[in-house]
Amino acid sequence: MLFLLSSLLQNYYQNKLRLALIGQSLFGQEVYTNLRKQGHRVVGVFTVPDRDGKADPLAVVAEKDGTPVFKFPRWRVKGKPIPEVVEAYKAVGAELNVMPFCSQFIPMNVIDHPAHGSIIYHPSILPLHRGASAINWTLIQGDKKAGFSIFWADDGLDTGPILLQRECPVEPNDTVDSLYNRFLFPEGIKAMVESVQLIADGKAPRVPQTEEGASYEGIQKKSNSKVNLAQPAEAIHNWIRGHDKVPGAWAVIDGQVRSLKHTLSVPAGQPLEIEGASQPGVITKNGLVLYGSDSKALMVKNLQFEDGKMISAAKYFSSGDTASVELTDDEKKMAEEIRDIWKGILSNVAAIEETTDFFKSGAASMDVVRLVEEIKQKCVGLQLQNEDVYMATTFQDFIQMFVRRLRGEDQEEEMVIDYATKDVNNMTVKMPWQCFINGKFEDAENGKTANTINPADGSVSYIHTDIHTYVDRAVAAAKEAFEVGPWGRMNPRDRGTLLYKLADLMEEHQEELATIESIDSGAVYTLALKTHVGMSIQTFRYFAGWCDKIQGKTIPINQARPNHNLTFTKKEPLGVCAIVIPWNYPLMMLAWKSAACLAAGNTLVLKPAQVTPLSALKFAELTVKAGIPKGVINIVPGSGGMVGQRLSDHPDIRKLGFTGSTPIGKQIMKSCALSNLKKVSLELGGKSPLIIFSDCDMDKAVRMGMSSVFFNKGENCIAAGRLFVEESIHDEYIRRVEIKKMKVGDPLDRSTDHGPQNHKAHMEKLVEYCEVGMKEGATLVYGGKQVDRPGFFMEPTLFIDVEDHMFIAKEESFGPIMVVSKFKDGDIDGVLNRANDTEFGLASGVFTRDINKAMYVSERLDAGTVFVNTYNKTDVASPFGGFKQSGFGKDLGEDALNEYLRTKAVTVEY
């Protein structure tokens, strides 16, 4: 006790410092906690912004303690420090900067500001392996010792003087994880705390780094991590373990790319040809044996297929084997105990045979709960769900499932995703980019990739293209999921629970989803957050609530005496549905259609627009995390001419929902009729009129009129394609339309009003549209051309004096172009005739303070939606769809469910 008290007093009377912690992660959290335990005062924590709505572990513990926490997205812009950020940092008054795993670039006027400067943790024995991925290169290079350095920061890349170093031996089978968890993490935390105390006591050394042996190796990528098998076994072993887990070393096996995981040591087995190897590999009971050019061997424990599935290498030749497992004596004894449980529940059954079916023997849902809970009581820790009983209804199947579950053999492999990552918008965005079929991401069969372009700067990312054979596979997966999978047999309320969970996950990832929408479609981030993503979340929650409320009805019919009849209707799902969505609201259009489709009990194959597939693929990832069964949702990117056409023609698809242009809608309708007369709903083009009367609220009419045109940079299906303004207020109205004040720029800038158009071809079409308008005699007030900057930015544009015969009066621009025509004062019927003189009928609007006029006009406007004294006011509960050549069928509201249901009438005579 006296010794403990002495130690505490010793810590208490040691010199203490005012510290600023600049870093992140669990490592940063532990350093922070231990420094405070030692009596140092942390006056500020500077960490990364929240990701997916979750704070970094360092921020969590600091905020709980009441320590000031700063989450600066960046410290510098274009290499220059941000003054307000630097001033906020300086205000905390730190004497030393402690930087555990700091991932941001910190300006030198911050590094050098404290009296004692800054110290950094680095996971290598400097000067070796400067820069990123130091642990990986320690293993790849075959270093016999590893360790870490704590050094004084300077303006070089890990070149500052050394304060303290620790080292440890590298074990023969060490991986990045084992090395980090065994030594670099726990010892690194202790060393950071020790270093701070050395500085506080004035005892910290500054040992200049030598350049002898200094190295910098770049970050390894999948493209250059192929194993060179024409080298000694030890080098192969080091290469594989140095790339575990990311990006994963790989080789071509049986003509296919396979990632190699966890190398060990060796015996004999079945030969396997491997491209580039000096001799065949051998599959043994312990794994895959590889031989180097020196004939020495090494062991590969796991193999990962291109579709993401990982198997034990020892099971390579039997990975598809589904034969029954042979029970051990203990397992046989346990099976008999379970037989007794079945017997206790199924008391009406004389004996529980291997073929006894739990439900056919009279069991109900409460019996399922009892069975699961009785078994879990006997086998503490066993993961068993009610759904498992429904999937293995006979006793022999149940025992097989139970034994595999007990052994841990049937656990689902964690989904493996080959992300494309991008540091943008103060976060690292992780984007799946492959096709999503039957619950897995996989490359296109032909290996081709198509560019997707960030419209703000023209930069390129990649997405695999597709061919119609992939559509066939996706449809087959959806059909199997509907007919024999758990989705078709699932209680509607349970289906709703999964959709609610999916909505929750979308909300957790809303900032990442909104960022993807911005960089893929050009949507202004704030609008993407509120509308593109926000309404998508609302849509799934709304339709999740409908799952257990889909009802038929009883119908009185003419009785044929003396018999009696009961007639009732049932609402049933259609089966496999195809959904084809546009590029203007990639995620929201997905949600509008797929939420209703899934709530009705269907499965689906979805084709996102070829130029904006990324948010749909991120959505696919979230469906797996939500527990949506495999095959229920399939995402197949690609061209409309290839993928879209095959979906229209496919005989196993029972419904196709499409949003897009009228010409393509007509082609789809024709193909659907000729193939198998599949059900169709179409939301097509528009030329929506907005009528503004002189008795309107002018401020509101101007504000909403601009929104009706420029919302989502005009790429809005219900955008007001033509404004009719009453003559007496026309000139004042035009004067108050202040287009010049709209800020055109980076969609990720929170102050931006107007982002880039979706893609280059569309922007060029808009410029051509304006040129035609000017040639026909319309007056260009402002805009009409591309903004002179990188990216696909179109100036917000205003045309007046637009006459009825002109091209721009009749055709949709689908862009930020306001087209204004006058109408004579008091000519209500005249302006209605002009407004309805179009083959489109998607939406419309009217502004007036006269309620009688408003009702009169709304009754006569020939459009699926009429907005009165507002515009763009859509809601998940309100049906949305058009008339005439704007299509038919509804999205949203209860009406949308009927698009994905069929009505069956049943008559019973008794």
Side-chain angles (χ1 to χ4, degrees):
M1 184 68 181
L2 288 173
F3 175 79
L4 177 61
L5 181 60
S6 173
S7 298
L8 290 171
L9 289 172
Q10 184 180 2
N11 284 334
Y12 182 80
Y13 286 113
Q14 281 181 324
N15 298 309
K16 303 302 172 189
L17 293 176
R18 292 166 54 87
L19 307 175
L21 250 70
I22 307 174
Q24 63 202 82
S25 77
L26 287 171
F27 187 92
Q29 180 192 78
E30 289 296 319
V31 170
Y32 165 87
T33 301
N34 281 276
L35 284 171
R36 290 183 81 245
K37 285 180 180 178
Q38 290 295 315
H40 297 285
R41 183 182 174 192
V42 180
V43 294
V45 164
F46 300 82
T47 187
V48 293
D50 295 354
R51 294 180 180 174
D52 300 330
K54 295 180 180 178
D56 183 86
L58 173 57
V60 171
V61 69
E63 287 170 340
K64 186 177 180 181
D65 292 336
T67 302
V69 176
F70 303 83
K71 302 175 183 179
F72 298 133
R74 59 181 70 87
W75 291 73
R76 303 188 297 184
V77 174
K78 296 182 179 177
K80 295 182 178 180
I82 302 172
E84 52 269 32
V85 171
V86 174
E87 288 307 310
Y89 158 77
K90 289 180 177 179
V92 303
E95 297 172 295
L96 173 69
N97 291 332
V98 180
M99 303 169 70
F101 272 108
C102 178
S103 64
Q104 295 175 305
F105 293 100
I106 311 301
M108 287 309 299
N109 57 345
V110 171
I111 294 289
D112 293 334
H113 178 73
H116 296 288
S118 303
I119 60 170
I120 301 179
Y121 172 92
H122 186 77
S124 81
I125 307 174
L126 291 171
L128 193 62
H129 308 311
R130 291 173 178 169
S133 300
I135 311 175
N136 305 72
W137 284 104
T138 294
L139 297 173
I140 293 169
Q141 300 287 16
D143 297 349
K144 299 304 179 185
K145 63 180 180 180
F148 57 80
S149 304
I150 295 169
F151 67 96
W152 300 90
D154 64 7
D155 59 354
L157 181 63
D158 306 330
T159 56
I162 300 297
L163 190 160
L164 181 150
Q165 289 185 323
R166 295 281 187 269
E167 62 181 57
C168 71
V170 177
E171 300 295 336
N173 292 323
D174 261 333
T175 64
V176 171
D177 280 355
S178 68
L179 195 55
Y180 180 72
N181 294 327
R182 185 179 81 247
F183 184 82
L184 300 179
F185 181 88
E187 295 303 319
I189 293 163
K190 296 176 187 176
M192 286 295 280
V193 176
E194 180 183 344
S195 297
V196 171
Q197 194 59 55
L198 286 171
I199 295 168
D201 294 337
K203 300 177 181 178
R206 290 176 179 262
V207 181
Q209 285 194 50
T210 176
E211 289 302 306
E212 184 179 349
S215 67
Y216 173 78
E217 301 92 352
I219 299 174
Q220 285 296 86
K221 299 178 181 179
K222 195 78 174 178
S223 58
N224 60 2
S225 61
K226 182 179 181 181
V227 183
N228 174 14
L229 294 166
Q231 58 179 334
E234 185 177 358
I236 298 173
H237 172 63
N238 290 335
W239 183 266
I240 294 173
R241 66 182 178 141
H243 287 86
D244 246 343
K245 299 177 180 177
V246 177
W250 56 274
V252 178
I253 300 177
D254 284 348
Q256 300 292 322
V257 172
R258 303 284 186 251
S259 293
L260 310 176
K261 307 284 184 179
H262 308 144
T263 56
L264 300 169
S265 56
V266 163
Q270 194 170 350
L272 180 65
E273 291 292 332
I274 300 177
E275 183 182 296
S278 58
Q279 64 187 88
V282 179
I283 295 293
T284 74
K285 64 179 182 179
N286 294 325
L288 168 62
V289 180
L290 293 180
Y291 294 94
S293 58
D294 57 357
S295 297
K296 291 184 178 179
L298 67 147
M299 179 74 73
V300 175
K301 186 177 179 182
N302 296 324
L303 289 173
Q304 184 177 7
F305 293 80
E306 284 197 283
D307 63 4
K309 179 183 178 182
M310 188 181 294
I311 64 167
S312 166
K315 296 182 178 179
Y316 184 79
F317 290 113
S318 59
S319 57
D321 187 6
T322 57
S324 298
V325 296
E326 186 175 345
L327 275 58
T328 65
D329 290 342
D330 286 342
E331 288 166 346
K332 289 176 181 176
K333 182 179 178 182
M334 203 169 293
E336 290 307 310
E337 292 178 1
I338 293 175
R339 192 188 301 271
D340 290 339
I341 295 174
W342 276 53
K343 178 62 178 172
I345 295 171
L346 304 177
S347 57
N348 57 309
V349 178
I352 304 298
E353 307 290 347
E354 301 304 296
T355 56
T356 300
D357 187 287
F358 193 68
F359 295 102
K360 290 180 180 178
S361 300
S365 57
M366 266 311 300
D367 299 314
V368 173
V369 176
R370 176 181 165 185
L371 174 62
V372 169
E373 294 305 315
E374 282 200 55
I375 293 174
K376 285 167 69 174
Q377 194 172 34
K378 278 187 175 293
C379 306
V380 178
L382 178 69
Q383 296 299 311
L384 192 65
Q385 306 294 329
N386 295 351
E387 191 66 27
D388 296 324
V389 183
Y390 293 100
M391 299 302 291
T393 61
T394 65
F395 183 74
Q396 61 186 359
D397 289 344
F398 186 85
I399 291 299
Q400 287 288 310
M401 177 276 297
F402 168 79
V403 170
R404 285 193 172 97
R405 185 66 50 83
L406 203 61
R407 296 177 181 180
E409 292 178 2
D410 67 342
Q411 293 178 1
E412 288 287 331
E413 293 282 355
E414 183 178 349
M415 181 174 59
V416 177
I417 304 174
D418 185 10
Y419 289 110
T421 59
K422 188 175 181 69
D423 291 324
V424 61
N425 199 27
N426 310 322
M427 66 181 76
T428 300
V429 177
K430 299 168 68 177
M431 297 173 287
W433 53 271
Q434 297 159 296
C435 310
F436 181 73
I437 298 174
N438 207 25
K440 294 181 180 179
F441 289 97
E442 53 184 282
D443 291 350
E445 191 176 63
N446 56 9
K448 287 186 177 180
T449 60
N451 294 346
T452 63
I453 306 297
N454 182 341
D457 58 15
S459 61
V460 176
S461 55
Y462 295 95
I463 180 74
H464 274 87
T465 58
D466 234 297
I467 54 177
H468 70 273
T469 55
Y470 264 41
V471 175
D472 293 347
R473 287 185 51 220
V475 173
K479 185 178 182 184
E480 182 178 6
F482 179 77
E483 293 179 350
V484 300
W487 191 252
R489 303 196 301 274
M490 190 176 292
N491 183 297
R493 196 164 296 169
D494 293 339
R495 190 163 63 238
T497 299
L498 291 179
L499 295 183
Y500 276 123
K501 186 175 181 181
L502 177 57
D504 290 344
L505 282 165
M506 292 171 71
E507 188 168 50
E508 286 179 29
H509 290 263
Q510 60 184 332
E511 292 182 351
E512 188 176 20
L513 287 167
T515 302
I516 292 171
E517 291 289 79
S518 290
I519 64 177
D520 203 27
S521 76
V524 171
Y525 176 74
T526 50
L527 176 66
L529 199 60
K530 179 182 183 297
T531 301
H532 289 235
V533 179
M535 194 173 189
S536 299
I537 295 166
Q538 292 176 26
T539 302
F540 271 98
R541 286 190 174 137
Y542 174 81
F543 283 108
W546 266 110
C547 288
D548 61 353
K549 300 173 186 66
I550 299 171
Q551 301 176 1
K553 55 188 175 183
T554 57
I555 302 172
I557 66 169
N558 187 37
Q559 304 289 350
R561 293 187 178 92
N563 297 317
H564 296 279
N565 301 96
L566 170 65
T567 297
F568 60 92
T569 61
K570 296 174 63 181
K571 295 287 188 179
E572 298 179 341
L574 300 170
V576 180
C577 298
I579 291 174
V580 180
I581 57 174
W583 44 257
N584 59 326
Y585 293 101
L587 186 66
M588 194 171 80
M589 292 297 99
L590 176 154
W592 280 23
K593 285 179 162 53
S594 62
C597 173
L598 294 168
N602 301 285
T603 58
L604 66 90
V605 178
L606 182 138
K607 189 197 91 66
Q610 190 171 14
V611 292
T612 55
L614 298 181
S615 57
L617 293 169
K618 186 66 181 181
F619 167 82
E621 176 192 349
L622 299 182
T623 67
V624 176
K625 292 181 177 179
I628 305 291
K630 66 179 184 179
V632 173
I633 297 170
N634 305 272
I635 311 288
V636 186
S639 70
M642 190 71 79
V643 178
Q645 186 62 52
R646 180 57 182 159
L647 289 171
S648 302
D649 294 337
H650 204 290
D652 288 333
I653 291 175
R654 297 300 169 190
K655 158 71 192 281
L656 191 146
F658 172 75
T659 295
S661 71
T662 298
I664 299 300
K666 291 179 178 179
Q667 178 62 41
I668 284 175
M669 191 172 177
K670 180 179 179 181
S671 297
C672 289
L674 291 174
S675 57
N676 62 339
L677 209 63
K678 59 176 63 71
K679 191 175 182 179
V680 183
S681 59
L682 304 172
E683 195 255 279
L684 308 175
K687 187 67 175 176
S688 302
L690 175 57
I691 303 171
I692 300 172
F693 289 100
S694 59
D695 61 356
C696 68
D697 177 336
M698 180 64 84
D699 289 338
K700 188 174 184 181
V702 170
R703 185 176 70 254
M704 299 301 296
M706 291 184 67
S707 175
S708 75
V709 175
F710 300 115
F711 189 83
N712 201 47
K713 7 103 178 190
E715 294 169 355
N716 188 25
C717 53
I718 58 171
R722 190 177 181 193
L723 277 66
F724 295 92
V725 182
E726 201 159 9
E727 196 167 29
S728 58
I729 63 167
H730 175 274
D731 293 348
E732 180 188 358
Y733 189 91
I734 298 302
R735 279 196 302 272
R736 294 175 68 169
V737 175
E738 297 179 325
I739 296 178
K740 294 180 182 178
K741 292 186 177 180
M742 295 175 65
K743 180 179 177 181
V744 179
D746 181 359
L748 294 173
D749 185 331
R750 304 310 193 259
S751 63
T752 294
D753 298 308
H754 188 82
Q757 304 311 133
N758 185 273
H759 51 280
K760 184 179 181 182
H762 181 57
M763 185 200 64
E764 292 172 345
K765 189 197 85 168
L766 294 175
V767 173
E768 184 180 351
Y769 185 94
C770 293
E771 290 171 351
V772 172
M774 288 185 285
K775 286 178 183 177
E776 289 190 326
T779 301
L780 178 66
V781 177
Y782 184 79
K785 61 183 185 295
Q786 182 179 356
V787 179
D788 186 17
R789 60 172 290 167
F792 312 136
F793 292 87
M794 177 75 185
E795 288 184 340
T797 300
L798 172 60
F799 277 105
I800 60 173
D801 303 323
V802 178
E803 299 178 11
D804 294 352
H805 64 84
M806 294 179 178
F807 176 82
I808 64 173
K810 294 179 176 294
E811 296 298 324
E812 180 182 28
S813 70
F814 211 63
I817 302 172
M818 181 178 279
V819 175
V820 183
S821 301
K822 295 179 186 176
F823 69 94
K824 291 181 179 180
D825 290 350
D827 187 12
I828 299 175
D829 289 327
V831 74
L832 276 170
N833 288 334
R834 294 171 70 189
N836 287 330
D837 187 20
T838 172
E839 274 301 301
F840 299 109
L842 189 57
S844 59
V846 55
F847 277 83
T848 176
R849 285 191 173 99
D850 185 337
I851 186 63
N852 292 321
K853 187 189 297 182
M855 295 304 295
Y856 179 85
V857 171
S858 66
E859 287 175 3
R860 285 159 179 76
L861 281 169
D862 197 6
T865 298
V866 180
F867 298 110
V868 178
N869 293 327
T870 187
Y871 209 88
N872 286 323
K873 188 72 174 179
T874 54
D875 187 88
V876 294
S878 177
F880 180 94
F883 299 162
K884 299 185 288 188
Q885 291 199 44
S886 287
F888 52 84
K890 297 294 182 183
D891 291 324
L892 305 180
E894 183 180 2
D895 292 46
L897 285 170
N898 293 325
E899 301 295 333
Y900 296 94
L901 292 166
R902 63 186 185 184
T903 302
K904 177 182 287 183
V906 179
T907 298
V908 181
E909 186 174 277
Y910 62 96

